[in-house]
Amino acid sequence: MSIQTRTHVKAAEATNPQAAAAPAAKMVARDVKVFYGAKQALKGINIDILENKVLALIGPSGCGKSTFLRCLNRMNDTIDNCRVEGLISLDGEDVYGRRIDAVQLRARVGMVFQKPNPFPKSIYDNIVYGPRIHGLASHRDEMDEIVETSLKRAGLWNEVKDRLREPGTGLSGGQQQRLCIARAIAVSPEVILMDEPCSALDPIATAHIEELIDELRENYTIVIVTHNMQQAARVSQKTAFFHLGDMVECDDTEEIFTNPRDERTQGYITGRYG
Amino acid sequence: MQITVLLLVLVGLTAAGYYMGRASAVRAVGGRIAALHSVPAYYGVYVALWAGLPAFLLFLVWGASENWIVMQMVLGALPQNMTDGSEQSLSLLKADILNIAAGISTGREPDPVVLAAAERYNMLRALGDWMLLAIGSALAVAGLSYARGRIAPDLRARNLVERVINVFLVGCSLVAILTTAGIVLSLVFEAMRFFTVYPIFDFLFGLQWSPQTAIRADQVGSSGSFGAVPLFAGTLLITLIAMLVAVPVGLMSAIYMSEYAPPRVRATMKPVLEILAGIPTVVYGFFAALTMAPFVRRLGESMGMSVSSESALAAGFVMGIMIIPFVSSLSDDVINSVPQSLRDGSYGLGATRSETIRQVVLPAALPGIVAAVMLAISRAIGETMIVTMAAGLAANLTANPLQAVTTVTTQIATLLVGDQEFDSPKTLSAFGLGLVLFVVTLSLNMIALRVVQKYREKYD
């Protein structure tokens, strides 16, 4: 990112009253553009992600919401020929800057994926994987404690406490996804990104996860991508609508669903396209 | 001559049958193809099969049994006293008849009765060929007209044709299986003959291998000793050295290619490595014998060790190099098939690339890597040429990689090179060794397959 863009962003922030009125922003995105090779996937996104709130990203397939989500913890770095421009900051620190390494960033901004992807290890080892590589726990007792608290927070403890040594891949889909959430919680991130976490699950498992998201909000800031309008309405406080690489509007969830300002938003949430 | 004509007739009738079948199917529904049960081409194939197949089967059966039938007829016409003798004199008589019939001189004045028999043999064969032509053509024409008559809009031509194709496919796969079974059986029977001459216990656990046997009774020479332990030990030693070279190098290069290399590097490196796998092992063999072995010896001497000019180390090292592409290519495929979602999951938790590879990717790929190593081992065990050229033939029982050793396959090769008596223990011992080798590689392959199967379905 060039210095010129940076000053430009600063100026925009100063004149933008909305940004000034949101002091509790955990993460801030300003004029974020993403290119895959020559193709532009995001065309300048500005969003404030508020602390201890759930932000839902909605929009038709291919609109760039997952791309944006993956910018927040630099998962796009693993994709060749992907280029990110603009400013994304976490607690005021540029995440693409020199002082933060992608590896450290991802420990602070965890991620849960569309398809449950437990490692081919035991449930216990799945949870302690993150703490171990980050040196958060060295003793057996500490690990046991992390496993217990993480699984409890993810609402999975009672179901698996007697089979912690069994492979995580042996759980049901919904349990696997909660295991993945527990795994993300175990490294005590500040922000959790969820990329359509319920799209591979049945309605009961989905209800479980939604409840969980609501509880997790107390301790974490959450960004969730979803194709399910009801889900966005149920779990989020803020909703952002993406369309063709643009963010069309971002507001309180209630506002978006009852009184959308843009007619594209209205068209999408009422099911006219997308 | 007649046979060529018959085959040409069959080809012609089959082709004609195809077009006639197709045409009459279309005619049967007045051009409305949708009213047919099958696509018109299937009716064509149906008629063609009826025209060609029965006659062709007759041809095969006749070809397989013609000599036998004709010979029985010839022998039956001979005077009783000539065919009554022992089995050996009978087969001698048969050979005489066949030789004279083919115009080959037997080296002595032929018996007029035999001469007449040979003439009769030739005559019967010619007659048989003419009959084959006549019957075959008739069968083909009959088949064609029968099938043509059966064509109707509701004839299930596709199902019938597919059934024939099904049988054909089964036959093809049986060929491979039956051949293998035949080879295994002959191996087993010959090995059993060896074990009647030489006790199996001494063979498997004896420490002395010197397969030289005296040919004449008065000859000075060893009586032959077939304790195979030195060979097993040599095979094990060389395989171990080869694996120590191939597995680390192959695995590391696979990790580089699948995880670190930019796509363009990978696209060139992988084919190049696979070309290495295409080098004939003989070429590796003289590289081992002429370059590697002297190098190892000089190196050893400069460090004050005595190294024989043919050493297990040289052979094992070159064999390891030969196997590298095998290990790396298979492992690379396995590592690539670890789902990206697992890597993402690990990166998403803040793991570095090397942590992800060591703790997530490799454990997930482990079953496949194990299978690759197993296959590589059975390749190393079966490798002959490099060892023959670089490690020598001396059956030393040693664990010292600087000495000459020999392997099972090398011994099999040397035992069967040159003129052999097929019933001497020396020759038969090769079958014993072959059987052991077969059992070992078969079990390794089965373990490898089992490992792969057991863990494969996890991610799909």
Side-chain angles (χ1 to χ4, degrees):
Chain A
M1 188 182 56
S2 67
I3 295 178
Q4 204 181 357
T5 343
R6 196 186 285 261
T7 46
H8 163 73
V9 166
K10 284 260 167 68
E13 222 167 333
T15 53
N16 188 344
Q18 209 181 0
K26 183 75 184 167
M27 294 188 85
V28 174
R30 287 290 172 269
D31 199 27
V32 172
K33 294 175 183 158
V34 175
F35 301 86
Y36 292 116
K39 193 182 152 253
Q40 186 167 8
L42 287 182
K43 303 170 183 167
I45 306 293
N46 295 294
I47 291 187
D48 289 355
I49 298 165
L50 304 184
E51 192 154 14
N52 294 2
K53 293 273 192 289
V54 178
L55 167 68
L57 307 180
I58 61 172
S61 297
C63 66
K65 49 197 192 311
S66 287
T67 301
F68 177 69
L69 193 74
R70 291 168 67 93
C71 287
L72 295 177
N73 70 343
R74 294 181 58 178
M75 280 300 280
N76 285 330
D77 290 14
T78 58
I79 298 171
D80 297 327
N81 78 36
C82 175
R83 195 156 47 86
V84 180
E85 282 177 10
L87 176 80
I88 297 175
S89 66
L90 171 63
D91 288 340
E93 230 177 319
D94 182 4
V95 303
Y96 282 88
R98 314 197 75 195
R99 291 192 47 210
I100 296 192
D101 183 59
V103 167
Q104 297 166 300
L105 173 69
R106 289 179 201 144
R108 292 172 65 189
V109 182
M111 189 155 195
V112 175
F113 296 84
Q114 183 170 4
K115 221 179 113 198
N117 55 352
F119 302 133
K121 301 170 181 280
S122 70
I123 294 171
Y124 187 94
D125 286 336
N126 260 286
I127 305 284
V128 299
Y129 178 79
R132 224 178 235 156
I133 57 177
H134 294 298
L136 297 180
S138 46
H139 291 296
R140 192 61 211 230
D141 318 346
E142 292 175 282
M143 300 241 197
D144 289 349
E145 203 189 306
I146 288 178
V147 170
E148 188 173 339
T149 49
S150 311
L151 283 173
K152 272 183 176 160
R153 278 204 182 152
L156 193 60
W157 176 250
N158 286 330
E159 289 159 66
V160 301
K161 63 175 179 232
D162 301 320
R163 43 196 280 215
L164 292 176
R165 292 287 157 204
E166 285 172 36
T169 42
L171 297 172
S172 75
Q175 289 174 325
Q176 286 188 11
Q177 193 62 298
R178 275 179 284 155
L179 176 63
C180 292
I181 293 174
R183 188 174 72 183
I185 295 172
V187 288
S188 7
E190 297 153 37
V191 181
I192 302 176
L193 311 175
M194 299 184 173
D195 191 354
E196 297 179 47
C198 302
S199 63
L201 305 181
D202 67 56
I204 295 171
T206 302
H208 254 102
I209 304 269
E210 287 179 6
E211 247 168 71
L212 177 60
I213 291 172
D214 208 46
E215 287 165 22
L216 291 174
R217 182 161 67 86
E218 279 180 32
N219 300 302
Y220 308 96
T221 303
I222 295 171
V223 184
I224 177 172
V225 166
T226 179
H227 272 136
N228 182 331
M229 292 307 120
Q230 286 80 21
Q231 184 170 63
R234 280 192 299 261
V235 302
S236 69
Q237 286 75 49
K238 290 273 184 185
T239 299
F241 173 64
F242 280 64
H243 184 57
L244 298 175
D246 274 321
M247 193 200 64
V248 175
E249 68 179 292
C250 174
D251 209 335
D252 289 342
T253 300
E254 223 182 278
E255 201 59 24
I256 293 263
F257 279 95
T258 54
N259 192 14
R261 269 174 296 170
D262 195 290
E263 63 182 73
R264 285 172 292 175
T265 316
Q266 183 163 21
Y268 182 68
I269 59 176
T270 53
R272 253 187 285 135
Y273 66 85
Chain B
M1 176 57 204
Q2 291 87 340
I3 286 173
T4 320
V5 173
L6 174 65
L7 288 180
L8 284 178
V9 167
L10 284 189
V11 169
L13 281 175
T14 310
Y18 176 77
Y19 289 107
M20 286 160 81
R22 210 172 59 170
S24 58
V26 173
R27 214 176 312 118
V29 289
R32 287 178 305 113
I33 288 169
L36 284 170
H37 170 267
S38 314
V39 180
Y42 275 110
Y43 292 91
V45 176
Y46 172 73
V47 176
L49 281 175
W50 263 108
L53 212 53
F56 188 68
L57 288 178
L58 174 83
F59 168 70
L60 285 187
V61 170
W62 176 250
S65 58
E66 178 185 25
N67 287 340
W68 185 81
I69 294 174
V70 170
M71 184 54 82
Q72 290 308 311
M73 287 169 76
V74 170
L75 290 181
L78 285 178
Q80 190 75 33
N81 62 346
M82 280 187 78
T83 54
D84 260 356
S86 70
E87 200 171 311
Q88 272 174 355
S89 68
L90 192 66
S91 70
L92 210 62
L93 179 67
K94 280 185 195 170
D96 272 356
I97 295 175
L98 284 181
N99 279 339
I100 294 169
I104 302 166
S105 157
T106 53
R108 57 194 136 85
E109 196 56 36
D111 187 334
V113 183
V114 176
L115 214 56
E119 255 167 46
R120 190 173 147 72
Y121 179 86
N122 276 342
M123 191 269 287
L124 279 174
R125 278 201 61 156
L127 185 68
D129 285 349
W130 279 114
M131 270 167 62
L132 179 66
L133 174 60
I135 297 175
S137 309
L139 207 57
V141 171
L144 193 149
S145 52
Y146 167 73
R148 231 189 128 196
R150 280 198 57 188
I151 283 181
D154 60 346
L155 176 72
R156 297 168 162 252
R158 176 172 51 80
N159 308 39
L160 294 168
V161 169
E162 276 171 359
R163 204 176 305 156
V164 173
I165 290 174
N166 201 358
V167 169
F168 175 73
L169 294 179
V170 169
C172 287
S173 50
L174 278 183
V175 167
I177 293 173
L178 290 181
T179 317
T180 314
I183 291 173
V184 171
L185 281 182
S186 85
L187 203 58
V188 168
F189 284 120
E190 295 293 325
M192 271 160 60
R193 273 177 71 195
F194 172 64
F195 293 135
T196 56
V197 188
Y198 197 85
I200 183 166
F201 186 83
D202 291 356
F203 171 71
L204 287 179
F205 301 105
L207 300 182
Q208 185 68 37
W209 178 266
S210 60
Q212 274 62 41
T213 45
I215 294 169
R216 298 185 308 272
D218 59 338
Q219 201 175 23
V220 182
S222 71
S223 56
S225 170
F226 299 96
V229 169
L231 307 190
F232 299 150
T235 308
L236 214 64
L237 180 64
I238 288 189
T239 306
L240 188 73
I241 295 170
M243 285 299 129
L244 284 180
V245 174
V247 171
V249 178
L251 199 56
M252 297 296 157
S253 83
I255 289 173
Y256 172 71
M257 279 196 299
S258 57
E259 298 290 321
Y260 289 100
R264 218 195 276 151
V265 175
R266 182 167 189 273
T268 41
M269 238 176 110
K270 208 172 170 188
V272 169
L273 263 173
E274 273 158 11
I275 286 171
L276 267 184
I279 297 177
T281 59
V282 176
V283 176
Y284 281 108
F286 52 73
F287 169 63
L290 301 180
T291 311
M292 201 59 211
F295 174 75
V296 169
R297 191 169 64 148
R298 248 176 286 135
L299 196 73
E301 274 166 358
S302 71
M303 291 193 289
M305 285 181 288
S306 84
V307 182
S308 64
S309 57
E310 296 179 319
S311 63
L313 189 60
F317 186 82
V318 173
M319 196 192 279
I321 290 182
M322 181 193 87
I323 296 173
I324 288 173
F326 203 69
V327 175
S328 76
S329 187
L330 283 175
S331 307
D332 177 57
D333 290 344
V334 172
I335 292 174
N336 261 325
S337 71
V338 171
Q340 183 62 30
S341 69
L342 282 186
R343 294 189 184 92
D344 283 349
S346 176
Y347 292 140
L349 289 168
T352 63
R353 196 178 265 197
S354 88
E355 282 162 346
T356 303
I357 292 169
R358 273 182 291 129
Q359 301 189 31
V360 174
V361 176
L362 283 186
L366 196 62
I369 293 172
V370 169
V373 171
M374 294 277 202
L375 290 177
I377 289 177
S378 47
R379 240 200 106 189
I381 291 178
E383 173 50 39
T384 315
M385 220 52 228
I386 294 175
V387 188
T388 312
M389 292 166 97
L393 298 173
N396 294 325
L397 181 55
T398 174
N400 180 357
L402 302 178
Q403 283 196 341
V405 295
T406 189
T407 65
V408 174
T409 49
T410 304
Q411 284 303 317
I412 294 179
T414 46
L415 287 171
L416 294 182
V417 167
D419 292 337
Q420 310 297 331
E421 288 177 81
F422 276 103
D423 52 354
S424 83
K426 184 184 166 192
T427 312
L428 287 176
S429 69
F431 289 98
L433 291 176
L435 189 64
V436 173
L437 199 64
F438 171 74
V439 170
V440 170
T441 44
L442 183 73
S443 25
L444 279 177
N445 283 354
M446 288 215 324
I447 293 171
L449 277 181
R450 193 58 63 81
V451 170
V452 171
Q453 266 168 9
K454 189 166 174 206
Y455 295 98
R456 180 184 279 160
E457 58 259 300
K458 232 173 204 170
Y459 307 113
D460 304 327

